[in-house]
Amino acid sequence: MTHDITVDKPPVAVRGPGRRPKRSGARGPGRSGWTPWLYLAPALVVLAGLLVYPIYQLGLISFLEYTQAQVSGGEPTTFKGFDNYLTLFRDEQFWQVLLATVVFATVCVVSTLAVGCALAVLLTRIRAVPRLVLMMAALGAWATPAVTGSTVWVFLFDPDFGPVNKLFGLGDYSWTYGRYSAFALVLFEVVWCSFPFVMVTVYAGIRAVPAEVLEAASLDGASQWRIWRSILAPMLRPILVVVTIQSIIWDFKVFTQIYVMTNGGGIAGQNMVLNVYAYQKAFASSQYSLGSAIGVVMLVILLVVTLVYLRLLRRQGEEL
């Protein structure tokens, strides 16, 4: 005799349209918004201490009467408002130094990007051993402290003992005597210690470009310059934006190379840039409030240049 056994199935929940099953352990709406900030809190505290507070103090001192008399306690600190900035803008030397700084920084940025990008492309065309040697040499230049590198370059171009003058038969020609030759000498050193960052960053970006794209361009007969201009440069635009902004910031606030190689700004201040000018005003003349005002002006200029550059790229439809 056969008995039929009926097993009752558990009821199946019917899910409405557009509904998704609830995940176990899902975060509540109150926690999801604050969790990222909790992870970022230690870094934000460090940035506030190292960046926000110094900028606040810099701006505060620029609005005060703050000289050696106030530092020593001989006279009380007084609020001057925008008088320090008016004094700065009425100074003809400030505008001369600002123009020299802008021109010098522009040439440094263009030269650094040109050398770095050219060597990055070269790294993709040579074998492993030469590539390793070039990378190690470039990283060695990058890791050299600015004071050490500047001292070495001054020795290389020394009119009495430098090997460069002897090699090219220049005799006792002094590179630091003339204004433009001194700026050129500093330019060589700045590019020498700055191009490795551009080279390594751009080389990493080139390695991420699909090899099929470059091979197809080569088979179509495109030259290396055409490949860079039409293929690599557009694809590497976000990376080029980063290295350009970094180079602008670094080269606009050059101090060590100018101060060491031209002995504090050259003869009669002919090789002065804004950072050295601020140092001279703040510490050589003990006008700390005026030096702080120059620092604030430099900060504003760099912020404006960076924002304008990013805005122009966004107008062109570039995603950063």
Side-chain angles (χ1 to χ4, degrees):
M1 189 173 182
T2 304
H3 297 280
D4 294 333
I5 300 176
T6 304
V7 180
D8 293 335
K9 294 182 180 180
V12 178
V14 179
R15 189 172 61 192
R19 282 184 167 183
R20 292 184 179 179
K22 213 176 204 181
R23 294 182 181 178
S24 59
R27 294 178 299 178
R31 296 174 55 190
S32 59
W34 289 100
T35 302
W37 292 104
L38 292 177
Y39 285 108
L40 292 174
L44 293 177
V45 171
V46 174
L47 287 177
L50 297 179
L51 186 62
V52 177
Y53 181 73
I55 292 177
Y56 163 75
Q57 286 292 336
L58 183 71
L60 178 62
I61 294 175
S62 69
F63 289 104
L64 302 176
E65 175 69 26
Y66 200 71
T67 61
Q68 188 60 40
Q70 283 75 29
V71 173
S72 60
E75 296 181 7
T77 302
T78 56
F79 181 77
K80 294 187 64 176
F82 290 94
D83 288 350
N84 290 319
Y85 293 94
L86 293 177
T87 302
L88 185 65
F89 295 150
R90 290 169 182 166
D91 186 3
E92 185 179 352
Q93 186 183 14
F94 167 75
W95 296 106
Q96 295 175 356
V97 173
L98 176 60
L99 177 61
T101 304
V102 171
V103 174
F104 176 73
T106 302
V107 177
C108 285
V109 170
V110 173
S111 302
T112 303
L113 292 177
V115 174
C117 292
L119 291 178
V121 175
L122 177 63
L123 287 176
T124 63
R125 310 291 297 179
I126 59 179
R127 296 182 180 274
V129 175
R131 183 189 307 126
L132 179 61
V133 172
L134 179 56
M135 291 279 286
M136 295 300 295
L139 293 177
W142 192 18
T144 303
V147 175
T148 305
S150 301
T151 305
V152 170
W153 276 81
V154 169
F155 169 75
L156 291 175
F157 289 84
D158 185 82
D160 298 322
F161 307 102
V164 174
N165 283 13
K166 295 180 180 179
L167 180 63
F168 292 98
L170 298 178
D172 57 352
Y173 176 76
S174 177
W175 288 79
T176 58
Y177 182 78
R179 184 187 186 192
Y180 298 107
S181 60
F183 269 128
L185 181 60
V186 178
L187 169 68
F188 296 154
E189 202 280 335
V190 170
V191 173
W192 174 76
C193 67
S194 301
F195 84 85
F197 170 74
V198 179
M199 183 190 73
V200 173
T201 307
V202 175
Y203 172 71
I206 294 176
R207 299 300 296 179
V209 175
E212 296 80 5
V213 176
L214 302 180
E215 291 178 0
S218 299
L219 291 176
D220 289 340
S223 62
Q224 290 298 319
W225 168 246
R226 184 60 184 271
I227 291 175
W228 167 261
R229 184 169 60 89
S230 302
I231 299 176
L232 290 178
M235 297 182 73
L236 298 176
R237 186 67 61 87
I239 293 178
L240 294 176
V241 169
V242 172
V243 297
T244 300
I245 293 176
Q246 289 279 8
S247 298
I248 291 173
I249 294 173
W250 289 343
D251 296 339
F252 191 82
K253 61 184 186 66
V254 164
F255 173 81
T256 305
Q257 291 88 343
I258 289 285
Y259 194 83
V260 172
M261 301 178 71
T262 65
N263 196 19
I267 301 173
Q270 63 181 1
N271 298 112
M272 198 90 71
V273 292
L274 276 181
N275 239 352
V276 179
Y277 184 60
Y279 176 84
Q280 296 287 358
K281 289 294 183 182
F283 297 101
S285 303
S286 298
Q287 298 177 354
Y288 303 107
S289 53
L290 199 57
S292 299
I294 298 173
V296 172
V297 171
M298 291 182 59
L299 177 63
V300 172
I301 292 174
L302 288 175
L303 287 177
V304 170
V305 170
T306 302
L307 292 177
V308 169
Y309 188 68
L310 293 177
R311 186 175 180 83
L312 290 176
L313 289 175
R314 286 189 177 276
R315 283 185 177 180
Q316 296 175 2
E318 296 292 340
E319 293 293 334
L320 302 179

